Amino acid sequence: MPTKSSYPDIHIPDVSIWDLLFERTDRPFPNNKVILRDAETKRAYTYAQVKSSSINFGKTLKSVWQWQRGDVLATFTPNSIDVPSIIWGTHWAGGVISSANPAYTTEELAFQLKDSQAKVLVTEFAFLKVARAAAKISGIPDNRIVLVGDVKDETKTFLHFKELWLTQGDSRHQRTPAKNPKTDVAFLAYSSGTTGLPKGVMLSHTNIVSNVLMIQVAEGSKMSWDGGPDKGGDRMLAFLPFYHIYGLVCLMHFAMYSGFELIVMPKFDLEKFCSYVQTMKITLAPVVPPVLLLLGKHPIVEKYDLSSLRMLSSGAAPLTKELVDTVYQRIKVPVKQGYGLSETSPATHVQVWDKWHSTIGSVGPLFPNMMAKYMSAEEKEVPAGQTGELWLKGPNIFLGYLNNAAGTKNAITEDGYFKTGDVGHQDKNGDFYITDRIKELIKYKGFQVAPAELEGLLLSHQDIDDVAVIGIYDKSRATEVPRAYIVLRRGVKGTSEMETAIVQWLSERVSSHKRLRGGVRFVNEVPKSAAGKILRRVLQDKAKKEAEGVQSKL
């Protein structure tokens, strides 16, 4: 029988994201509560200022570009305290947000812009060259490219979003509310597919609303908007990107709903991270395992006082007991772990605060309003407690993949279960464990890398006859990294110079997280099934033996 959450079900209101955040009657914190603060410049927005700037941007969309319900706005920017107003202003105007990684190449961004049919692109000045080239390919004119951040375009070719604001009192343009929060798309979150092309994950308003409320149940009682020694409440350090579903929902939306102050960093830098914790008395920090590795071992950490931290919450990739213990022994800050996917909006599990140490290795109990079951390779349900693929059902499960009916059918069952592709089990206390992955996707620092995409590019290299890409665990980075097993063209030698050349060649064609950090191995053939499918498990076993110093030949 499917497992039901141990939390009591909660009421999920039939409202939009805008209603949840800005029209609620039970908000416990005042209008002048600071919600967003730039870590470097200290520029800040209060709750009321976020709301007014969002409305102004929404009016701009309607006035300048005649925004229609369902139109898509794409963001291509690192973290900025302006980004939330862009996102919620688009929702105010009835639009959809599709966020792209600012490390994308022109071709990668152009694909997302075309697939999502984005009408406007928001970026920062530093990323304008790639943004403009991708916009041209996808049919977005220059006058629909908007800048955010602290640097403006002195030529006035591209306007800053603040320069586009209308006055809040302008009554010509009214909010376009969601027609049906359960089916109206709020976000198109692009997730790498095993076929190589990213898939647009359609997330509804209800998906996000439900997940924010679920997180509140699992986390909210341990957090405060007005507590602590200075009565300023919890301060959360946000370097996890808002263009990634983890940062988007678990940081940005959750902080806005709960009234926590979000201290925003454009990207991670260890010394700045430690400095901000010390000087701004940060109490909470969502992280990923590679950051924990630095906190546990890097000498810079010794220079700073991190004692204000109450909890580190890790997600996006598996967390080992050794890493948790190393961090705790050094800085005396608890570390707990959660689990989720783009398709689940994203969070589905998180360890209970008071049990972080007794349940190390688990991702905690299932969130309220959810059901889970474990399935065998033959898609037969196995009893709870036994190992199987985790299938999940609940109000946070996505609507489907954009323009991909076959992918949607393969991912979501007729009775509403999402096949996560992750293998695990549940213990007798109701805590869940993720132990393996069925999917071929490689997780580099939480970012998805599709082997097939890299294989397709590598096969276009003149000296490569065949190739297979797998993820190998790099202990020094505390993450998976891509490695290529390559069959060279007859007569070409597999030298160290050739390996370096191939790694560099691919690096010039993909964004940073897709690079072959696991290196290249030259082989005589790529192991395949009778049907021609790459046998990645054979290569993974080979990689493990190599790591153990055991010679293995294909």
Side-chain angles (χ1 to χ4, degrees):
M1 291 290 291
T3 298
K4 191 178 187 303
S5 171
S6 57
Y7 290 106
D9 279 353
I10 58 174
H11 172 63
I12 307 295
D14 189 25
V15 298
S16 69
I17 294 169
W18 181 271
D19 289 320
L20 178 78
L21 299 180
F22 300 111
E23 305 297 336
R24 58 188 292 204
T25 59
D26 61 344
R27 173 166 52 88
F29 54 90
N31 281 326
N32 64 356
K33 179 69 169 72
V34 172
I35 301 295
L36 298 163
R37 188 183 302 276
D38 186 296
E40 190 68 31
T41 68
K42 306 302 186 288
R43 186 165 65 92
Y45 282 113
T46 64
Y47 172 85
Q49 288 170 332
V50 174
K51 182 176 181 179
S52 64
S53 61
S54 299
I55 291 172
N56 284 341
F57 185 71
K59 288 180 176 179
T60 298
L61 289 175
K62 291 193 165 203
S63 174
V64 178
W65 296 301
Q66 293 73 54
W67 205 251
Q68 301 296 311
R69 184 191 303 278
D71 282 350
V72 176
L73 180 144
T75 63
F76 182 64
T77 171
N79 283 4
S80 162
I81 63 171
D82 295 331
V83 168
S85 296
I86 297 287
I87 289 174
W88 293 321
T90 301
H91 287 160
W92 183 92
V96 178
I97 290 289
S98 183
S99 299
N101 185 340
Y104 275 177
T105 63
T106 297
E107 292 73 21
E108 289 168 330
L109 176 60
F111 171 81
Q112 184 166 331
L113 295 177
K114 287 191 290 186
D115 193 63
S116 65
Q117 296 186 340
K119 301 291 195 300
V120 169
L121 176 61
V122 175
T123 190
E124 286 194 8
F125 187 82
F127 301 90
L128 192 52
K129 182 179 179 181
V130 170
R132 191 178 190 185
K136 184 177 181 180
I137 293 171
S138 58
I140 298 176
D142 282 353
N143 64 3
R144 285 176 175 254
I145 299 176
V146 181
L147 299 180
V148 290
D150 295 319
V151 180
K152 296 182 179 180
D153 174 24
E154 297 300 330
T155 70
K156 300 296 183 182
T157 303
F158 304 95
L159 293 180
H160 195 277
F161 93 109
K162 286 186 177 179
E163 297 170 322
L164 294 168
W165 281 0
L166 301 175
T167 61
Q168 175 140 2
D170 193 322
S171 60
R172 289 178 298 163
H173 302 289
Q174 301 297 317
R175 176 187 163 209
T176 300
K179 278 187 175 180
N180 185 344
K182 290 186 175 66
T183 57
D184 283 8
V185 176
F187 291 98
L188 283 170
Y190 275 74
S191 175
S192 291
T194 53
T195 60
L197 292 176
K199 297 177 291 186
V201 178
M202 296 187 290
L203 298 171
S204 72
H205 285 267
T206 296
N207 289 156
I208 305 301
V209 166
S210 62
N211 208 236
V212 170
L213 296 177
M214 289 171 174
I215 298 169
Q216 178 67 21
V217 168
E219 303 271 60
S221 65
K222 294 293 184 179
M223 302 180 186
S224 170
W225 66 268
D226 63 350
D230 61 359
K231 301 301 180 183
D234 278 307
R235 298 184 183 94
M236 187 181 293
L237 192 53
F239 66 84
L240 294 176
F242 294 159
Y243 60 79
H244 189 283
I245 192 70
Y246 183 7
L248 177 71
V249 178
C250 300
L251 278 70
M252 193 177 87
H253 281 77
F254 183 53
M256 195 65 184
Y257 180 79
S258 303
F260 310 138
E261 185 173 337
L262 209 58
I263 311 297
V264 180
M265 297 174 64
K267 63 180 181 179
F268 180 75
D269 175 276
L270 179 61
E271 186 148 22
K272 287 183 177 180
F273 174 96
C274 294
S275 174
Y276 296 147
V277 170
Q278 176 178 291
T279 60
M280 304 178 79
K281 303 300 180 187
I282 302 297
T283 61
L284 305 169
V287 296
V288 289
V291 171
L292 291 172
L293 187 67
L294 292 172
L295 291 173
K297 297 187 176 182
H298 201 288
I300 278 180
V301 177
E302 299 291 347
K303 294 168 52 180
Y304 295 94
D305 177 7
L306 308 183
S307 61
S308 63
L309 284 170
R310 300 200 298 119
M311 180 64 74
L312 296 168
S313 299
S314 182
L319 192 61
T320 65
K321 182 179 187 301
E322 292 75 18
L323 192 51
V324 172
D325 287 340
T326 297
V327 172
Y328 186 73
Q329 288 166 12
R330 188 181 197 195
I331 64 174
K332 298 299 184 285
V333 178
V335 183
K336 62 183 179 61
Q337 179 173 217
Y339 172 77
L341 308 98
S342 296
E343 290 88 345
T344 57
S345 308
T348 61
H349 303 72
V350 70
Q351 280 180 284
V352 177
W353 275 57
D354 298 334
K355 298 180 179 180
W356 70 272
H357 196 265
S358 63
T359 59
I360 290 178
S362 83
V363 296
L366 185 65
F367 274 8
N369 297 60
M370 296 197 72
M371 300 284 287
K373 60 182 178 180
Y374 301 90
M375 307 297 285
S376 68
E378 296 74 34
E379 296 198 346
K380 302 293 184 183
E381 187 173 357
V382 300
Q386 292 188 18
T387 299
E389 181 188 1
L390 180 62
W391 290 14
L392 297 169
K393 184 178 183 178
N396 54 322
I397 301 300
F398 75 127
L399 300 176
Y401 296 116
L402 180 70
N403 306 323
N404 192 338
T408 301
K409 185 176 181 180
N410 290 333
I412 304 177
T413 66
E414 291 185 1
D415 57 349
Y417 277 92
F418 168 59
K419 306 174 184 179
T420 68
D422 289 321
V423 173
H425 65 275
Q426 179 184 358
D427 68 16
K428 62 181 181 180
N429 298 316
D431 289 302
F432 284 63
Y433 292 77
I434 304 299
T435 56
D436 200 359
R437 184 158 65 248
I438 293 175
K439 293 178 181 177
E440 296 175 348
L441 292 176
I442 301 163
K443 281 284 193 77
Y444 173 71
K445 293 187 177 180
F447 293 102
Q448 296 177 335
V449 181
E453 177 186 4
L454 303 189
E455 290 160 358
L457 286 169
L458 288 165
L459 285 171
S460 69
H461 190 288
Q462 62 179 3
D463 292 326
I464 296 176
D465 274 352
D466 202 1
V467 61
V469 175
I470 63 169
I472 62 165
Y473 187 76
D474 184 336
K475 191 173 182 180
S476 67
R477 292 185 174 99
T479 185
E480 282 185 316
V481 294
R483 173 184 289 174
Y485 285 82
I486 289 174
V487 179
L488 291 171
R489 178 172 54 86
R490 184 187 296 271
V492 178
K493 294 183 178 181
T495 63
S496 59
E497 290 78 11
M498 175 57 74
E499 175 182 352
T500 300
I502 290 173
V503 170
Q504 180 60 34
W505 181 88
L506 185 67
S507 295
E508 294 169 357
R509 290 161 173 78
V510 296
S511 48
S512 176
H513 65 280
K514 299 177 184 178
R515 293 174 182 170
L516 293 174
R517 289 179 169 83
V520 167
R521 298 291 185 271
F522 297 114
V523 294
N524 294 326
E525 63 177 351
V526 171
K528 295 179 181 178
S529 70
K533 183 177 176 61
I534 295 173
L535 299 175
R536 298 186 198 277
R537 181 61 65 185
V538 173
L539 293 173
Q540 286 162 349
D541 290 342
K542 176 180 174 64
K544 288 179 181 178
K545 289 178 181 178
E546 287 177 349
E548 295 166 358
V550 178
Q551 294 299 317
S552 175
K553 292 184 178 181
L554 287 172

